[in-house]
Amino acid sequence: AVLVMLKEDMPSSDFAWWQWLLCALAFLGTLITVNLDGFSVSAVTLEQVNAMSVDEMMKIANQSSLTAVSILSVVVSMEVARRTAAAKYDVQLTPPVFVP
């Protein structure tokens, strides 16, 4: 999910450094959870994971990357649509906050 706030709802028009940091951390969390969702598509038991080498795990992660990219592209397309609608109605938005 993406959380978007109106600039009018913010206490000041400046976007502080710590707010950018929170946005970056939330985006990083989104990237991680998207990749975990993609990885969970593979049918792997806990015993198999414990017996796998790092190379084998990377092979599975690469195979599930298409799913992760698909999920992230849906999130990005929703944000683009939101930005387009906001621009049409002259609504100013802050940078998006990705909530994993």
Side-chain angles (χ1 to χ4, degrees), residues 17-61:
W17 67 269
W18 61 270
Q19 291 171 319
W20 283 109
L21 180 65
L22 286 177
C23 286
L25 290 174
F27 183 69
L28 181 64
T30 300
L31 289 179
I32 291 169
T33 57
V34 162
N35 284 308
L36 288 176
D37 286 344
F39 191 70
S40 68
V41 171
S42 302
V44 180
T45 64
L46 185 59
E47 293 82 22
Q48 290 172 327
V49 170
N50 291 334
M52 277 189 218
S53 69
V54 174
D55 292 333
E56 291 172 325
M57 288 182 135
M58 290 306 295
K59 184 179 175 186
I60 292 175

Side-chain angles (χ1 to χ4, degrees), residues 57-79:
M57 288 182 135
M58 290 306 295
K59 184 179 175 186
I60 292 175
N62 286 336
Q63 290 174 345
S64 64
S65 63
L66 182 61
T67 304
V69 168
S70 299
I71 293 170
L72 189 59
S73 67
V74 168
V75 172
V76 169
S77 64
M78 288 187 313
E79 179 60 23

Side-chain angles (χ1 to χ4, degrees), residues 77-94:
S77 64
M78 288 187 313
E79 179 60 23
V80 168
R82 189 171 289 114
R83 295 277 165 184
T84 303
K88 179 180 178 181
Y89 295 106
D90 198 30
V91 175
Q92 294 180 345
L93 301 174
T94 61

